[in-house]
């Protein structure tokens, strides 16, 4: 398989890298994290000016129609710079609209995608609940029928940048609790009855706990229900994992570089510790884990848009597992080589390791995706013997 990037893709990556290196350094990022909002309107405007918010939006909605491979390069650089803006949260939520049935998308949501493209609309996906852990189908939020549409009631937990969003993608149960009742809505985040509690996570980013108290939503806010909703949630979740994998690779690249630089300057017994053979071997292993993780991130980005759902699930979960293993090894070794300084906020290493930890816990951890990979592989084996595929819901269930 050819993993060579086009000249346009390379230029895009170089542009984002220059922006990060010049205008989004470690100290600038720390000031943004310490601010009341935890984000920067100025930085968001720069992302808009660079065309990054429009990259994944279809051309008919004012975007560039970029694919997952294009976003891989952007997420890699944003990961390297530890970006704390709601970029991933917005593109992840917007993907639900992009992949919704064409009649629904064209009828209702073209203006929202245009707003995402020009940066005027930020989005978030409110999918997880207190009891759900990694099972996105464990939904207790209720959508009750009302005169002019529906009323949403329930709570969503740990929604990335939920308090900064203008629109929310919300999963709920409609007319029961079985699989056919699953529904996805797009909701105005400022609607009456919504309460958002903003807080900062250990990696400096923002999440919100969101309560819905009989929030009135119109009939045309329903993106999908039943089997289409399950398939949409399944596919977009894999898309999100592919983007997170690319970000994690960028974080690991930065952490390896920071560790090597520290080892060259930290001296013991009259010489830099980088000259100690045991530490050289350790840093070589860190580099090998990084290269393997990068290869899997590339493969996930290529395969996440395939029409073969089973192949997509298997490869995306394999990538999340391998990247989770690499992140743990690289993070632990980096902290040990840094010594006590590796867990202080004065150096980038601690911040990088914290971000890797949060990526591991987002959209399914290593154990969850290992179980999902096994389930997808079994499904393939069953299909090869002429037996019908299992329900699309199975691979996303909570790991045993």
């Amino acid at each position: 398989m050819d993993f060579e990037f086009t000249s346009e893709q390379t230029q895009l990556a170089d542009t984002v890298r220059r922006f990060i290196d010049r205008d989004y350094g470690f100290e600038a990022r720390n000031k943004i994290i310490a601010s009341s909002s935890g984000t920067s309107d100025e930085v968001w405007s720069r992302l808009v000016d660079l065309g990054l918010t429009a990259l994944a939006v279809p051309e008919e909605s004012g975007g560039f129609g970029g694919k997952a491979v294009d976003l891989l390069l952007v997420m890699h650089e944003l990961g390297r710079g530890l970006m704390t803006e709601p970029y991933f949260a917005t593109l992840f939520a917007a993907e639900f609209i992009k992949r919704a049935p064409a009649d629904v998308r064209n009828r209702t949501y073209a203006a929202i995608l245009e707003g995402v493209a020009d940066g005027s609309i930020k989005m978030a996906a409110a999918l997880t609940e207190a009891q759900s852990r990694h099972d996105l189908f464990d939904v207790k939020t209720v959508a009750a029928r009302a005169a002019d549409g529906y009323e949403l009631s329930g709570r969503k937990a740990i929604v990335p940048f939920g308090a900064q969003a203008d629109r929310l993608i919300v999963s709920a149960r409609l007319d029961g609790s079985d699989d056919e009742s699953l529904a996805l809505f797009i909701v105005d985040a400022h609607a009456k009855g919504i309460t958002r509690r903003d807080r900062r996570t250990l990696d400096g980013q923002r999440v919100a706990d969101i309560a819905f108290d009989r929030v009135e939503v119109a009939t045309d806010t329903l993106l999908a229900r039943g089997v289409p909703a399950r398939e949409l949630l399944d596919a977009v979740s894999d898309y999100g994992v592919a983007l997170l994998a690319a970000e994690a690779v960028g974080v690991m690249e930065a952490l390896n570089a920071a560790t090597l630089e520290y080892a060259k300057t930290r001296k013991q017994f009259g010489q830099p510790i980088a000259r100690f053979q045991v530490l050289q071997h350790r840093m070589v292993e860190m580099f090998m884990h990084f290269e393997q993780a990068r290869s899997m991130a590339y493969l996930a980005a290529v395969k996440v848009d395939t029409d073969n759902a089973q192949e997509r699930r298997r490869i995306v979960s394999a990538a999340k597992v391998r990247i989770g293993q690499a992140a743990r090894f690289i993070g632990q070794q980096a902290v040990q080589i840094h010594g006590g300084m590796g867990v202080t906020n004065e150096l980038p290493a601690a911040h990088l390791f914290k971000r890797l930890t949060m990526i591991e816990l987002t959209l399914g951890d290593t154990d969850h995706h290992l179980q999902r990979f096994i389930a997808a592989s079994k499904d393939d084996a069953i299909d090869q013997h002429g037996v019908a595929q299992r329900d699309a819901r199975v691979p996303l269930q909570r790991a045993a």
Side-chain angles (χ1 to χ4, degrees):
M1 183 176 291
D2 183 11
F3 281 114
E4 291 293 329
F5 296 110
T6 66
S7 59
E8 292 81 3
Q9 290 171 329
T10 302
Q11 290 173 5
L12 172 64
D14 290 343
T15 299
V16 180
R17 179 173 286 247
R18 287 195 299 270
F19 162 64
I20 293 293
D21 292 342
R22 184 181 63 247
D23 300 325
Y24 201 81
F26 181 61
E27 295 301 326
R29 174 184 179 273
N30 286 344
K31 291 180 180 179
I32 294 172
I33 291 176
S35 67
S36 58
S37 65
T39 61
S40 167
D41 291 339
E42 181 181 354
V43 172
W44 184 257
S45 295
R46 290 298 306 277
L47 297 180
V48 175
D49 293 341
L50 290 173
L52 301 187
T53 55
L55 182 59
V57 175
E59 294 181 7
E60 59 268 23
S61 297
F64 300 117
K67 303 297 184 183
V69 174
D70 302 306
L71 287 166
L72 177 146
L73 297 168
V74 173
M75 293 301 299
H76 179 105
E77 295 303 328
L78 297 186
R80 196 179 62 85
L82 284 178
M83 180 68 69
T84 60
E85 299 303 310
Y87 183 74
F88 165 77
T90 295
L91 295 193
F92 176 54
E95 193 69 15
F96 284 92
I97 300 177
K98 287 172 54 183
R99 298 187 184 224
D103 58 332
V104 175
R105 182 177 66 250
N106 295 335
R107 184 182 72 242
T108 312
Y109 302 121
I112 295 178
L113 289 177
E114 291 172 2
V116 170
D118 64 24
S120 61
I121 293 179
K122 299 174 184 176
M123 299 187 66
L127 306 174
T128 56
E129 300 183 4
Q131 81 289 343
S132 64
R133 192 169 166 76
H134 301 305
D135 185 359
L136 298 184
F137 293 100
D138 186 355
V139 177
K140 293 185 177 180
T141 299
V142 175
R145 293 190 181 275
D148 298 323
Y150 306 91
E151 287 185 347
L152 292 177
S153 297
R155 293 179 177 273
K156 297 295 181 177
I158 318 177
V159 179
F161 293 98
Q164 289 73 32
D166 302 297
R167 298 290 189 278
L168 300 170
I169 301 296
V170 182
S171 57
R173 293 290 176 185
L174 178 63
D175 297 333
S177 59
D178 59 5
D179 292 343
E180 295 301 318
S181 69
L182 181 67
L184 295 169
F185 293 86
I186 183 165
V187 180
D188 185 343
H190 306 286
K192 181 180 179 181
I194 294 179
T195 303
R196 297 184 284 180
R197 184 169 69 89
D198 186 30
R199 51 196 173 94
R200 188 170 67 185
T201 54
L202 65 88
D203 62 342
Q205 300 208 11
R206 296 284 173 150
V207 296
D209 295 328
I210 305 179
F212 300 87
D213 183 12
R214 300 184 66 180
V215 178
E216 296 181 0
V217 294
T219 303
D220 61 6
T221 62
L222 179 63
L223 276 177
R225 64 170 299 180
V227 172
R230 295 204 312 274
E231 293 176 346
L232 183 60
L233 182 56
D234 189 39
V236 178
S237 296
D238 281 344
Y239 178 82
V241 170
L243 297 190
L244 287 175
E247 181 186 357
V249 170
V251 177
M252 285 186 273
E253 178 185 327
L255 188 51
N256 277 349
T259 303
L260 178 59
E261 181 64 25
Y262 182 82
K264 288 179 178 179
T265 57
R266 178 74 169 89
K267 291 185 177 181
Q268 284 187 345
F269 306 108
Q271 61 181 326
I273 62 174
R275 293 184 179 178
F276 299 155
Q277 191 175 53
V278 65
L279 296 187
Q280 291 175 356
H281 290 172
R282 200 177 287 186
M283 285 185 283
V284 167
E285 287 186 82
M286 292 167 65
F287 179 76
M288 292 171 60
H289 276 274
F290 162 74
E291 287 293 337
Q292 292 172 358
R294 179 164 64 173
S295 296
M296 289 304 299
Y298 286 5
L299 184 59
V302 170
K303 291 295 186 179
V304 75
D305 291 322
T306 182
D307 293 332
N308 187 330
Q310 287 300 102
E311 181 183 22
R312 185 200 71 227
R313 295 184 191 111
R314 189 176 65 253
I315 290 176
V316 167
S317 285
K320 192 67 156 64
V321 169
R322 187 63 193 92
I323 286 168
Q325 294 169 341
R328 181 175 181 179
F329 181 86
I330 292 172
Q332 290 178 343
Q333 298 304 318
V335 168
Q336 290 186 18
I337 292 173
H338 276 81
M341 292 297 294
V343 293
T344 65
N345 287 332
E346 281 69 27
L347 293 183
H351 298 262
L352 293 162
F353 191 19
K354 290 174 183 177
R355 181 58 191 150
L356 287 176
T357 301
M358 291 304 298
I359 291 176
E360 159 70 4
L361 297 174
T362 304
L363 294 179
D365 62 9
T366 296
D367 290 339
H368 167 78
H369 279 280
L370 183 59
Q371 294 295 325
R372 186 172 184 251
F373 175 83
I374 293 170
S377 299
K378 287 181 179 179
D379 285 347
D380 278 347
I382 292 173
D383 294 340
Q384 290 172 5
H385 289 84
V387 181
Q389 290 187 2
R390 300 191 321 180
D391 190 284
R393 176 180 189 271
V394 174
L396 271 176
Q397 285 182 334
R398 185 185 303 131

